[in-house]
Amino acid sequence: METVNAALWIRVRNTLGEGPCWDAELKRFYWVDIEGHTLWWYDEQEDELSSFDMGQQIGFAVPKVTDGVVVGLKDGIYEWDETSKEFDKIVELDDPEGNLRFNDGKADPYGRIFAGTLHLDDEENEATLYRVNRDGTTEVMLSELTLSNGLTWSPDHSIFYHIDTPTETVRKYPFDLKTGTLGEGEVVIDFKDEEGFPDGMTSDEDGFLWIAHFAGGKVSRWNPQTGEKVLEVSVPAPNVTSCCFVGDDLKQLAITTAREGMDEAALEAHPDAGSVFKIDTDVKGMPLYRFGR
């Protein structure tokens, strides 16, 4: 099995870097620092790095068809306008006790957002994966989860993949693009013998899955048809959180990492933990989908 090494791309000190996505039209790379309450973006055309404090935990950002982005915050999902810096809440998280927050989220090819939650005290069966329709209405897709995490689609959009991190598995679900509904799920990748835990995930145009290893210091590429691991990407940070394809040809993989939970010795050994790393790939990634198409 081939192993490659990721190189430093954007040096930052994210507590919990997550949720990377590439806006090909703007040539802009977005990601979030969940515990830093910050939306980050790198404008490749201007070679400019920017950030904005969202005021609460932020799990994901998804560009809209029109200007601006949709962000998953602690208490709900909002449209955020970069120019005015104003928020417009479109989904209220049903969480009167304040024990949940939104985590990973992405738009599907039809322009709906799939977004999951986690329980702040790691309570089992309390998390949910929601579908946010283009009109702002919501539907429950998966319930009784613990930590809804990586999600992606197959190249033909007929399969939806999802990770509930503590199960240490990747499950696939038949996906109906027209209705946005899921069929019966089944395990396609077993992560129990891997280093670390499965976190964020993306897919390439060959239908293979790229999975971040939290506490495992790597990203791995898998064939979901066979459950076989075919590539490892070594990352100089132990807590690897997510990845996405970037660049004009979508042949570079950007990788987010975290400093959370690392002691002084670990931070000294991995001084760039919390930064964004990158590799060149031989395969093209799947493009970004926008909310509200």
Side-chain angles (χ1 to χ4, degrees):
M1 183 184 59
E2 185 183 4
T3 300
V4 297
N5 296 317
L8 179 67
W9 182 29
I10 303 172
R11 178 175 276 121
V12 283
R13 293 290 184 267
N14 290 164
T15 303
L16 185 52
E18 261 282 10
C21 66
W22 171 253
D23 187 325
E25 290 181 24
L26 295 179
K27 296 189 187 302
R28 180 178 284 188
F29 173 66
Y30 289 99
W31 78 101
V32 304
D33 182 356
I34 296 176
E35 297 301 337
H37 301 176
T38 303
L39 173 65
W40 288 85
W41 62 99
Y42 171 65
D43 189 313
E44 188 174 81
Q45 294 185 99
E46 303 294 332
D47 190 24
E48 185 174 62
L49 182 64
S50 304
S51 64
F52 185 79
D53 188 337
M54 294 278 147
Q56 54 178 306
Q57 291 163 319
I58 172 172
F60 67 85
V62 174
K64 294 162 54 182
V65 170
T66 54
D67 292 341
V69 296
V70 172
V71 292
L73 302 185
K74 165 73 172 67
D75 64 356
I77 297 175
Y78 295 75
E79 293 180 328
W80 180 71
D81 187 283
E82 181 186 332
T83 303
S84 68
K85 305 295 192 286
E86 292 182 354
F87 296 88
D88 180 18
K89 184 182 279 190
I90 56 176
V91 175
E92 176 83 30
L93 181 57
D94 183 16
D95 179 33
E97 296 180 356
N99 292 325
L100 303 172
R101 70 160 172 82
F102 275 104
N103 195 43
D104 209 353
K106 293 178 182 175
D108 75 359
Y110 195 70
R112 300 163 292 222
I113 287 179
F114 280 61
T117 61
L118 60 76
H119 194 283
L120 296 173
D121 294 324
D122 301 321
E123 294 275 342
E124 294 183 1
N125 305 320
E126 295 293 326
T128 304
L129 178 73
Y130 297 95
R131 187 188 74 225
V132 182
N133 300 316
R134 295 184 297 186
D135 62 2
T137 58
T138 61
E139 303 284 344
V140 172
M141 293 288 98
L142 301 172
S143 58
E144 297 187 352
L145 305 172
T146 301
L147 200 173
S148 181
N149 226 324
L151 62 163
T152 192
W153 287 265
S154 61
D156 66 0
H157 311 142
S158 68
I159 299 172
F160 173 74
Y161 297 98
H162 180 260
I163 293 170
D164 184 10
T165 292
T167 68
E168 298 185 76
T169 59
V170 179
R171 298 177 70 87
K172 77 171 184 179
Y173 299 83
F175 181 68
D176 186 315
L177 179 59
K178 185 176 180 180
T179 62
T181 53
L182 305 179
E184 192 70 27
E186 63 176 296
V187 173
V188 290
I189 293 172
D190 187 334
F191 227 72
K192 292 182 175 62
D193 292 331
E194 293 296 311
E195 294 178 87
F197 296 88
D199 199 327
M201 172 171 61
T202 192
S203 49
D204 61 39
E205 67 175 10
D206 288 347
F208 284 51
L209 303 177
W210 299 71
I211 305 170
H213 294 233
F214 192 89
K218 70 182 76 169
V219 172
S220 52
R221 182 179 184 237
W222 298 74
N223 182 344
Q225 302 296 323
T226 63
E228 178 190 9
K229 180 172 59 174
V230 298
L231 173 72
E232 285 191 347
V233 180
S234 179
V235 182
N239 296 329
V240 181
T241 55
S242 194
C243 56
C244 78
F245 286 90
V246 303
D248 290 338
D249 58 1
L250 291 177
K251 281 193 168 183
Q252 297 174 304
L253 188 77
I255 302 164
T256 52
T257 63
R259 298 169 71 82
E260 185 179 60
M262 295 175 64
D263 59 23
E264 286 186 23
L267 289 171
E268 189 172 327
H270 304 281
D272 286 320
S275 294
V276 183
F277 300 84
K278 190 163 66 171
I279 62 163
D280 293 324
T281 65
D282 295 328
V283 66
K284 187 176 182 179
M286 296 299 296
L288 169 84
Y289 306 120
R290 296 170 178 272
F291 175 65
R293 181 177 298 179

